Amino acid sequence: MSFGECTITLQDVGMLVGLLVDGEALLSRGSANILELGVVPPQSEIKGHRVKLSWLATNFNEIADDINELHQLLPYARAWILRFIGGLLFPDRSSSYVSLRWLAFLGDFQTIKTYAWGAAVLGCLYRNLCTSTDYKTPSCGEFTLLLQLWAWERFPTILSSPFPHIPPGSPIGLRWSNTATKISMSDDIKFYRKFFDRLTRKSPDRVMRQFGCQQPIPNPPMTPAHVHALTLRGKTDDDWTTILSPALEHWANQYAYHFAPTPPQVGLLGPNSEYMRWYRRKGKLYIDPDGVKDSIVGDVTECLAYLTSPHDRPDFSVESVTEQSNRLLSISDDYRARFVEPAEEAPVPFGSYDVGTFNVPPQSREAAWLSRRRTTIKAMDHIYPTLPDRAAWLYYIPS
């Protein structure tokens, strides 16, 4: 956002959807057994290592009255959980199939509840948001409902309707499950781009501030070689426990990597703070293309001058002038604060840790995949063109 970073945290996952965020890493240490469903799907219902969700619904939707034994009921329970995984928690971009690999986690029902499902959901959502930045990617998979629930809770002004009540003893996100709840929202993407660009720093807290701490300047992100582009495709025989051993070791020692407490953050984070000075250099402050650069001020002034010039006076409307004036006001608030408020030092960044070596077999590496996702951008193609010469009767704005 224009006022700093926001992100979904593990706390958000636990509070919004009630999934466990502290537990065993969700990594299969065995192979999936299709026989645990009690019936093998026909080849027409299987694609690669995935099965159609519709087949699961058709064959396991109703339990016959004469099925009472536990061993008879277990396949129905596994099929229901498999549908829940493929239809909600980890849906792929097709929204029609679910991977049979998940059966490896559904063998022992006592073990299922020990996994950190919430952490895995958040990690997979992050990864899909990353791959979806490629303009060639038509959609985003995984638990996008979590993203929507997070947005409603953290940016309440998105909604013009009041918050529903939370059912007693339920995750916060369940408040939105009542079909009688009227959710009043716009469906115009351009509206939301402008909405987020005009949020002020009185809006949601970011990352560390969610926990009452000061926001330090983060360390550079860690991108181990050969891991960022790694996929499961064609790697049914790979030993993931060995390949991802540094990540598993880090997860097993997660309590050793808790951040050091900072002094409490008092009041709003000022635009002259060390963090915000860093953020303005490194971040993309605006979503709307019209607001990408600080030269938006010149752009707005040019529009206002043109709208009110003798040449365009018969055509301009009050709404068009108001639109440009609001853009100026949002920017002026930020700049006024920069002149008035004192500078603030940021706390010391948290210590980094050794990433370790991920032993990805040469035949499993997909380094080329990452380069295919990234398209070279030439900055000159996105710079405002030089302003054309103006006639004598138009207000002149220097370039």
Side-chain angles (χ1 to χ4, degrees):
M1 304 299 163
S2 59
F3 50 80
E5 298 170 286
C6 298
T7 193
I8 308 175
T9 67
L10 287 174
Q11 183 198 52
D12 290 320
V13 180
M15 298 296 289
L16 287 172
V17 297
L19 289 172
L20 189 67
V21 296
D22 185 8
E24 294 294 320
L26 197 64
L27 183 68
S28 173
R29 292 168 175 81
S31 58
N33 185 1
I34 188 65
L35 296 178
E36 290 182 340
L37 287 177
V39 57
V40 178
Q43 287 300 317
S44 59
E45 303 293 334
I46 294 180
K47 186 177 182 179
H49 206 65
R50 301 180 299 164
V51 64
K52 284 185 178 179
L53 291 168
S54 58
W55 180 83
L56 293 172
T58 301
N59 288 270
F60 296 94
N61 199 44
E62 298 291 338
I63 302 178
D65 294 336
D66 59 345
I67 295 181
N68 298 311
E69 298 295 329
L70 179 60
H71 72 275
Q72 295 175 306
L73 292 170
L74 286 178
Y76 287 87
R78 292 190 181 100
W80 190 94
I81 297 174
L82 202 58
R83 288 174 60 192
F84 187 72
I85 289 173
L88 184 66
L89 297 184
F90 300 95
D92 61 20
R93 291 190 172 95
S94 73
S95 298
S96 302
Y97 290 84
V98 59
S99 174
L100 291 171
R101 289 186 178 94
W102 293 111
L103 285 174
F105 300 99
L106 308 183
D108 182 359
F109 277 32
Q110 294 302 315
T111 306
I112 291 176
K113 58 187 179 183
T114 66
Y115 290 115
W117 290 92
V121 161
L122 183 59
C124 287
L125 176 60
Y126 274 149
R127 178 177 177 83
N128 271 263
L129 290 173
C130 174
T131 58
S132 296
T133 58
D134 184 0
Y135 71 93
K136 299 176 184 176
T137 302
S139 61
C140 179
E142 303 305 328
F143 196 16
T144 51
L145 177 62
L146 172 62
L147 184 64
Q148 186 173 17
L149 293 174
W150 173 79
W152 285 349
E153 293 289 340
R154 291 294 184 182
F155 301 91
T157 50
I158 290 178
L159 305 171
S160 55
S161 52
F163 270 13
H165 293 293
I166 303 172
S170 301
I172 294 174
L174 201 62
R175 74 161 95 212
W176 305 104
S177 65
N178 189 345
T179 55
T181 300
K182 301 297 182 182
I183 301 174
S184 178
M185 295 183 67
S186 170
D187 59 358
D188 182 5
I189 185 64
K190 292 183 179 180
F191 167 82
Y192 287 106
R193 287 174 179 167
K194 293 179 180 179
F195 173 87
F196 284 113
D197 282 347
R198 291 174 187 166
L199 285 177
T200 67
R201 51 197 179 123
K202 295 180 181 178
S203 300
D205 289 333
R206 344 0 138 193
V207 196
M208 292 299 300
R209 288 173 55 83
Q210 293 175 209
F211 305 96
C213 300
Q214 296 182 16
Q215 178 64 56
I217 297 172
N219 289 311
M222 292 167 290
T223 308
H226 310 302
V227 174
H228 191 209
L230 200 60
T231 69
L232 294 174
R233 288 191 294 267
K235 304 181 182 67
T236 55
D237 297 327
D238 283 9
D239 182 1
W240 293 102
T241 304
T242 301
I243 294 174
L244 300 178
S245 57
L248 292 173
E249 182 180 353
H250 177 251
W251 181 257
N253 294 283
Q254 54 184 293
Y255 289 105
Y257 298 107
H258 274 186
F259 59 82
T262 71
Q265 177 69 43
V266 179
L268 298 172
L269 183 62
N272 289 331
S273 66
E274 187 178 7
Y275 167 79
M276 283 306 300
R277 295 198 303 271
W278 167 85
Y279 182 72
R280 282 195 295 270
R281 294 195 308 269
K282 299 290 186 179
K284 179 180 178 181
L285 303 187
Y286 299 100
I287 306 171
D288 187 359
D290 291 338
V292 170
K293 300 168 59 178
D294 281 350
S295 57
I296 184 176
V297 177
D299 174 52
V300 173
T301 308
E302 178 186 351
C303 290
L304 284 173
Y306 182 73
L307 289 171
T308 56
S309 67
H311 172 74
D312 197 56
R313 188 162 292 158
D315 299 324
F316 86 92
S317 63
V318 174
E319 289 78 9
S320 58
V321 174
T322 303
E323 167 76 12
Q324 303 302 326
S325 300
N326 287 336
R327 294 170 73 190
L328 272 180
L329 286 173
S330 64
I331 295 170
S332 66
D333 287 342
D334 178 53
Y335 276 87
R336 186 184 303 114
R338 292 193 205 181
F339 285 110
V340 175
E341 297 186 8
E344 304 172 22
E345 297 298 324
V348 177
F350 309 132
S352 58
Y353 59 89
D354 184 16
V355 180
T357 302
F358 289 77
N359 298 309
V360 182
Q363 66 274 15
S364 298
R365 296 175 185 176
E366 301 182 63
W369 178 73
L370 186 62
S371 61
R372 288 201 305 272
R373 285 182 40 234
R374 301 302 183 208
T375 302
T376 302
I377 299 296
K378 295 182 179 180
M380 294 302 295
D381 295 338
H382 300 271
I383 291 178
Y384 285 115
T386 303
L387 296 179
D389 293 334
R390 286 159 169 72
W393 40 266
L394 271 180
Y395 187 78
Y396 177 73
I397 305 293
S399 61

